[in-house]
Amino acid sequence: MSRKIPETLRKKVAQRARNRCEYCLSSEADSVLAFEVDHIFPVKHGGPTTLENLAYTCVICNRHKGSNIATSEYLSETLVPLFNPRKDLWTDHFKIHDGSIAGKTEVGKGTVKVLELNDIDRISERRIQIQSGSYPGPI
Ligand SMILES: [Zn+2]
């Protein structure tokens, strides 16, 4: 969610993420839009504006994540939490293949779905970045 984040805190979040989206790993240098700071546990659910609850995100991931914290399959009663960059290791939950991001776990698969990480335009953009050597960068 978009909230006013103090500039010093925003810089710390960006530096910690090495100016990459913590969900899709895209680089802010490859984006025409400034990256945003996501409340992993949303403000509307009581999440604080602290370094431990913030993630650096591209605009697309942040719009799709919104205030979501979990997902489920239709008619399933099982909730699966979304990937949490502060608690989860990206490579434990995702792998990259030919520009697509595949979920290796239920958390990864649910996050790919909710954040629409494999929208065809996003895959195309990633393929260009892979060819130019800017994606995924150090994970
Ligand atoms: Zn992203």
Side-chain angles (χ1 to χ4, degrees), residues 21 24 26 58 61 122:
C21 175
C24 74
S26 65
C58 70
C61 283
R122 300 184 84 184

Side-chain angles (χ1 to χ4, degrees), residues 22-33:
E22 297 190 69
Y23 295 104
C24 74
L25 303 182
S26 65
S27 171
E28 188 170 26
D30 289 330
S31 174
V32 294
L33 299 172

Side-chain angles (χ1 to χ4, degrees), residues 1-2 5 10 13 35-39 54-57 62:
M1 295 296 292
S2 184
I5 307 291
R10 187 186 196 289
V13 174
F35 278 18
E36 299 178 338
V37 175
D38 170 51
H39 284 80
L54 299 175
Y56 209 52
T57 69
N62 203 22

Side-chain angles (χ1 to χ4, degrees), residues 112-139:
V112 166
K113 178 180 70 175
V114 172
L115 274 58
E116 298 187 24
L117 295 178
N118 290 324
D119 174 90
I120 191 67
D121 291 336
R122 300 184 84 184
I123 292 172
S124 298
E125 195 173 79
R126 263 183 232 125
R127 286 179 177 157
I128 292 167
Q129 293 166 358
I130 288 168
Q131 286 181 340
S132 73
S134 67
Y135 187 86
I139 298 174

